[in-house]
């Protein structure tokens, strides 16, 4: 295997309560099988759980992240919103920005750019999601869309040291469909080249794949070049599936 899978990131979406931490604790025990720092496991959980989970997992091998954030750095009159200072204070180390489920709810590339800047300022690591819709794929606009998302969301950003990229084709999220090998490696390579174009000195660019990753398709996905890990939605709600995915990657 030539790939270095650096990250396994779970996205719980609207799942979990205070007792669901037991799932993460099981995963943490399994992680002890692997050499320390071989890869990083992060769980992006609902805001309501961040403080409790991050305290309980403080000494563990798993980090906690949020799934979204407001773009303001400090206080603002935005009822119901949470800013990056607040998620940091609650214990989050990471945040997902640009997820397609939030892009459909109004997150433009300009807003995403502001969210990235405010989170970096608060020392939070970013998981930046990009990807084309089915219609864009059919109309052969994938490269144009990926380039636009990369260029606009990273406008004015000098370093990508604290940014992890997640290629998530919208049509693959929660559908059971995954891109074929050729398509996926072509798109991953394209993303990498666009990032390298913009950040000439960047080392260690991490590009994850997300969209219906599960224990049945992981072996095939692992054979795709240039991937650095996975963003896992549905399958991250099951400790067994998540453990299977890790164990099949690093046998
Ligand atoms: C996601 O929501 O980021 C995701 C990848 O979901 P799923 O694995 O369920 O397709």
């Amino acid at each position: 295997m030539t790939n270095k899978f650096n990250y396994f990131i779970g996205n719980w979406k609207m799942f979990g309560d205070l007792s669901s931490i037991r799932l993460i604790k099981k995963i943490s025990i399994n992680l002890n099988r692997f050499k320390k720092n071989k890869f990083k496991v992060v769980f992006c959980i609902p805001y309501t759980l961040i403080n409790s989970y991050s305290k309980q997992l403080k000494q563990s091998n798993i980090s906690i992240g949020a799934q979204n954030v407001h773009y303001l750095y400090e206080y603002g009159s935005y009822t119901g919103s949470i800013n990056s200072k607040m998620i940091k204070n609650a214990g989050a180390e990471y945040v997902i920005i640009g997820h397609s489920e939030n892009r459909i709810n109004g997150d433009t590339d300009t807003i995403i750019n502001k969210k990235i800047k405010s989170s970096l300022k608060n020392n939070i690591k970013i998981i930046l999601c990009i990807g084309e819709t089915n219609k864009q794929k059919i109309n052969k606009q994938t490269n144009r869309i990926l380039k636009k998302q990369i260029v606009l969301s990273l406008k004015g950003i000098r370093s990508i040291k604290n940014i992890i990229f997640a290629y998530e084709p919208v049509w693959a999220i929660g559908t059971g469909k995954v891109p074929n090998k050729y398509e996926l490696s072509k798109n991953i390579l394209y993303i990498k080249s666009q990032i390298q174009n913009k950040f000439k000195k960047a080392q260690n660019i991490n590009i994850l794949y997300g969209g219906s990753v599960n224990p049945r398709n992981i072996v095939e996905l692992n054979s795709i070049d240039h991937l650095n890990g996975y963003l896992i939605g549905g399958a991250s709600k099951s400790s067994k599936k998540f453990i299977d995915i890790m164990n099949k990657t690093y046998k």
Side-chain angles (χ1 to χ4, degrees):
M1 187 199 297
T2 52
N3 284 4
K4 190 159 174 359
F5 298 98
N6 297 321
Y7 292 94
F8 292 81
I9 302 181
N11 174 14
W12 268 8
K13 310 193 188 204
M14 207 160 62
F15 167 81
D17 58 26
L18 289 171
S19 70
S20 320
I21 194 167
R22 68 182 187 283
L23 302 176
I24 301 184
K25 286 185 175 165
K26 278 191 199 159
I27 293 164
S28 172
I29 292 167
N30 180 72
L31 258 184
N32 294 329
R33 294 180 48 224
F34 299 98
K35 223 171 94 198
K36 208 169 167 235
N37 300 330
K38 192 170 172 67
F39 55 87
K40 180 95 205 134
V41 173
V42 181
F43 270 81
C44 296
I45 57 177
Y47 292 132
T48 49
L49 305 177
I50 292 175
N51 190 239
S52 163
Y53 281 30
S54 57
K55 277 186 187 143
Q56 293 181 70
L57 296 167
K58 206 174 175 114
Q59 306 301 332
S60 83
N61 39 20
I62 294 189
S63 297
I64 287 300
Q67 300 170 16
N68 198 5
V69 72
H70 193 274
Y71 63 79
L72 274 193
Y73 175 70
E74 303 248 20
Y75 172 80
S77 311
Y78 290 94
T79 304
S81 297
I82 308 276
N83 66 28
S84 50
K85 205 168 195 169
M86 293 156 94
I87 59 171
K88 178 79 182 176
N89 182 252
E93 288 177 60
Y94 291 79
V95 63
I96 296 175
I97 295 180
H99 194 284
S100 58
E101 285 154 13
N102 292 319
R103 287 183 189 258
I104 1 170
N105 287 329
D107 269 10
T108 60
D109 289 313
T110 309
I111 292 175
I112 288 166
N113 176 254
K114 287 187 187 173
K115 289 185 175 191
I116 294 175
K117 285 177 177 162
S118 103
S119 301
L120 289 176
K121 209 163 160 185
N122 276 314
N123 284 322
I124 294 178
K125 297 185 184 72
I126 317 290
I127 301 144
L128 171 61
C129 298
I130 56 173
E132 81 286 1
T133 62
N134 194 36
K135 193 167 169 211
Q136 289 160 343
K137 172 175 138 70
I138 291 168
N139 290 335
K140 304 205 179 324
Q141 294 174 328
T142 301
N143 283 2
R144 191 174 68 73
I145 293 298
L146 293 174
K147 183 174 181 175
K148 177 176 121 355
Q149 290 175 340
I150 293 168
V151 170
L152 295 183
S153 57
L154 297 179
K155 200 169 166 196
I157 286 165
R158 287 205 204 99
S159 160
I160 52 162
K161 196 169 78 133
N162 288 321
I163 302 180
I164 300 160
F165 297 84
Y167 172 51
E168 296 212 312
V170 182
W171 52 270
I173 296 178
T175 59
K177 293 182 195 158
V178 292
N180 66 42
K181 238 174 129 164
Y182 165 76
E183 222 172 7
L184 187 48
S185 52
K186 183 173 70 66
N187 293 344
I188 294 287
L189 260 183
Y190 180 77
I191 293 168
K192 204 159 246 180
S193 71
Q194 288 305 312
I195 299 168
Q196 267 160 348
N197 239 344
K198 198 166 157 46
F199 298 91
K200 303 248 172 337
K201 290 188 198 139
Q203 291 168 346
N204 306 325
I205 301 172
N206 279 294
I207 306 182
L208 318 186
Y209 168 74
S212 299
V213 176
N214 64 47
R216 289 185 312 277
N217 57 27
I218 191 68
V219 174
E220 171 84 358
L221 287 169
N222 283 340
S223 67
I224 289 157
D225 284 339
H226 304 288
L227 269 186
N228 304 113
Y230 299 100
L231 180 55
I232 305 161
S236 72
K237 294 181 290 180
S238 152
S239 50
K240 182 174 177 327
K241 286 185 185 169
F242 200 88
I243 287 170
D244 262 14
I245 290 171
M246 290 189 304
N247 290 357
K248 284 184 174 170
T249 302
Y250 285 117
K251 290 174 215 83

